[in-house]
Amino acid sequence: MCDTGDQQTTAAVSVKESAATIVEMLKDVTSREGEDAVFECRLSRETAQDAQWFLGDVPLQSNEMNEIRVQGTRHTLILRKVILEDCGPISFKVGQHTSAA
């Protein structure tokens, strides 16, 4: 705001969040039945953008079978006590960027 006494003007500043990129890609994981499978990737920055994990085409959520963690720029998916039917592609998506294992 600028105020000269007789006149006043105001303006606003807007800042848009820049897109995060994936700087550490997912790696393939081999686990035995009954063990946990852990997948990790790291982003270029902390972000409020929606990040999503997938098993095949199915979006994953934290529950008794899956644990999703975010610690700063590190995103982790833990598949608990995997079984043979859990085999398949895992992917992580944020904005327009995807990593798969």
Side-chain angles (χ1 to χ4, degrees):
M1 178 164 78
C2 180
D3 189 345
T4 64
D6 295 342
Q7 294 179 322
Q8 187 179 61
T9 185
T10 60
V13 63
S14 297
V15 178
K16 292 184 179 180
E17 180 180 39
S18 60
T21 59
I22 301 171
V23 295
E24 186 178 311
M25 304 300 241
L26 293 174
K27 295 178 178 66
D28 292 343
V29 172
T30 301
S31 296
R32 296 187 183 278
E33 270 191 301
E35 294 179 344
D36 293 348
V38 180
F39 297 88
E40 289 186 335
C41 63
R42 191 169 50 88
L43 301 181
S44 58
R45 59 193 286 301
E46 291 184 34
T47 181
Q49 288 178 279
D50 289 335
Q52 181 67 60
W53 289 95
F54 294 86
L55 174 55
D57 293 332
V58 178
L60 300 175
Q61 297 178 2
S62 277
N63 55 36
E64 66 279 350
M65 297 174 66
N66 313 308
E67 182 179 347
I68 295 173
R69 295 182 192 164
V70 178
Q71 296 171 312
T73 60
R74 185 160 304 281
H75 290 250
T76 306
L77 168 66
I78 302 170
L79 299 178
R80 300 270 183 222
K81 298 180 180 174
V82 294
I83 58 174
L84 288 176
E85 288 78 11
D86 292 326
C87 288
I90 294 288
S91 59
F92 175 81
K93 296 180 182 180
V94 61
Q96 299 295 316
H97 304 281
T98 302
S99 180

